[in-house]
Amino acid sequence: MELLGRFGVGLRAARKSRGLTQEDFSTVSSRTYLSSLERGIKSPTISKIEDLATIIGVHPVTLLALAYLPSTVDGRSEMCSQISAEIHSLLQDMPANEDS
Protein backbone atom coordinates (compact mmCIF):
# COMPACT_ATOMS: atom_id res chain seq x y z
CA MET A 1 0.00 0.00 0.00
CA GLU A 2 1.36 3.40 -0.89
CA LEU A 3 1.87 6.29 1.52
CA LEU A 4 -1.43 8.12 0.86
CA GLY A 5 -3.33 4.89 1.38
CA ARG A 6 -1.51 4.21 4.64
CA PHE A 7 -2.20 7.78 5.82
CA GLY A 8 -5.88 7.28 5.02
CA VAL A 9 -6.06 3.99 6.92
CA GLY A 10 -4.40 5.62 9.93
CA LEU A 11 -6.69 8.65 9.77
CA ARG A 12 -9.80 6.45 9.61
CA ALA A 13 -8.55 4.29 12.51
CA ALA A 14 -7.81 7.36 14.65
CA ARG A 15 -11.21 8.89 13.85
CA LYS A 16 -13.08 5.69 14.64
CA SER A 17 -11.08 5.04 17.82
CA ARG A 18 -12.42 8.35 19.13
CA GLY A 19 -15.98 7.49 18.07
CA LEU A 20 -16.08 10.34 15.53
CA THR A 21 -18.02 10.41 12.28
CA GLN A 22 -16.93 12.16 9.11
CA GLU A 23 -19.59 14.76 9.83
CA ASP A 24 -17.79 15.66 13.08
CA PHE A 25 -15.08 17.25 10.91
CA SER A 26 -17.44 19.67 9.15
CA THR A 27 -15.76 22.68 10.77
CA VAL A 28 -12.44 21.84 9.06
CA SER A 29 -13.39 19.91 5.91
CA SER A 30 -16.25 18.49 3.92
CA ARG A 31 -17.31 14.89 4.33
CA THR A 32 -16.33 14.29 0.69
CA TYR A 33 -12.80 15.62 1.26
CA LEU A 34 -12.36 13.58 4.45
CA SER A 35 -13.58 10.49 2.63
CA SER A 36 -11.07 11.09 -0.17
CA LEU A 37 -8.28 11.42 2.43
CA GLU A 38 -9.32 8.19 4.12
CA ARG A 39 -9.38 6.38 0.76
CA GLY A 40 -5.90 7.66 -0.12
CA ILE A 41 -7.11 9.70 -3.08
CA LYS A 42 -6.06 13.14 -1.83
CA SER A 43 -2.97 14.40 -0.04
CA PRO A 44 -3.50 16.72 2.95
CA THR A 45 -1.49 19.86 3.62
CA ILE A 46 0.37 20.28 6.90
CA SER A 47 -2.28 22.77 8.00
CA LYS A 48 -5.05 20.28 7.22
CA ILE A 49 -3.25 17.55 9.20
CA GLU A 50 -3.13 19.93 12.16
CA ASP A 51 -6.87 20.69 11.81
CA LEU A 52 -7.76 17.00 11.62
CA ALA A 53 -5.54 16.14 14.59
CA THR A 54 -7.20 18.86 16.66
CA ILE A 55 -10.66 17.38 16.03
CA ILE A 56 -9.40 13.87 16.85
CA GLY A 57 -7.55 15.10 19.94
CA VAL A 58 -4.07 13.88 19.00
CA HIS A 59 -0.78 15.53 18.08
CA PRO A 60 -0.42 16.08 14.31
CA VAL A 61 2.75 13.96 14.29
CA THR A 62 0.64 11.05 15.53
CA LEU A 63 -1.39 11.09 12.31
CA LEU A 64 1.81 11.09 10.24
CA ALA A 65 3.32 8.32 12.36
CA LEU A 66 0.29 6.12 11.70
CA ALA A 67 1.13 6.23 7.98
CA TYR A 68 4.60 4.82 8.67
CA LEU A 69 3.76 2.51 11.57
CA PRO A 70 5.28 -0.96 11.26
CA SER A 71 2.96 -3.92 11.73
CA THR A 72 4.85 -5.49 14.63
CA VAL A 73 5.14 -4.30 18.23
CA ASP A 74 8.94 -4.52 18.02
CA GLY A 75 8.93 -2.51 14.80
CA ARG A 76 6.75 0.15 16.40
CA SER A 77 9.05 0.37 19.39
CA GLU A 78 12.09 0.67 17.12
CA MET A 79 10.40 3.42 15.10
CA CYS A 80 9.59 5.44 18.23
CA SER A 81 13.16 5.01 19.49
CA GLN A 82 14.57 6.08 16.14
CA ILE A 83 12.39 9.20 15.99
CA SER A 84 13.28 10.12 19.58
CA ALA A 85 17.00 9.71 18.91
CA GLU A 86 16.83 11.72 15.68
CA ILE A 87 14.96 14.59 17.34
CA HIS A 88 17.38 14.59 20.25
CA SER A 89 20.34 14.68 17.84
CA LEU A 90 18.85 17.49 15.77
CA LEU A 91 18.01 19.56 18.83
CA GLN A 92 21.60 19.34 20.06
CA ASP A 93 22.70 21.21 16.95
CA MET A 94 20.10 23.97 17.30
CA PRO A 95 20.58 27.18 19.27
CA ALA A 96 18.45 27.17 22.43
CA ASN A 97 16.17 30.10 21.48
CA GLU A 98 15.81 29.51 17.76
CA ASP A 99 12.19 30.11 16.68
CA SER A 100 12.48 29.27 12.99
Side-chain angles (χ1 to χ4, degrees), residues 36-89:
S36 66
L37 289 175
E38 290 184 353
R39 290 181 289 136
I41 296 170
K42 299 233 179 187
S43 178
T45 63
I46 291 173
S47 297
K48 186 56 68 178
I49 291 171
E50 184 171 17
D51 292 343
L52 297 169
T54 298
I55 299 293
I56 296 170
V58 298
H59 194 283
V61 173
T62 301
L63 291 181
L64 290 174
L66 289 172
Y68 294 92
L69 201 61
S71 59
T72 66
V73 173
D74 287 343
R76 292 172 183 173
S77 180
E78 287 175 24
M79 184 181 100
C80 290
S81 294
Q82 177 183 352
I83 291 169
S84 179
E86 290 171 353
I87 289 171
H88 180 73
S89 174

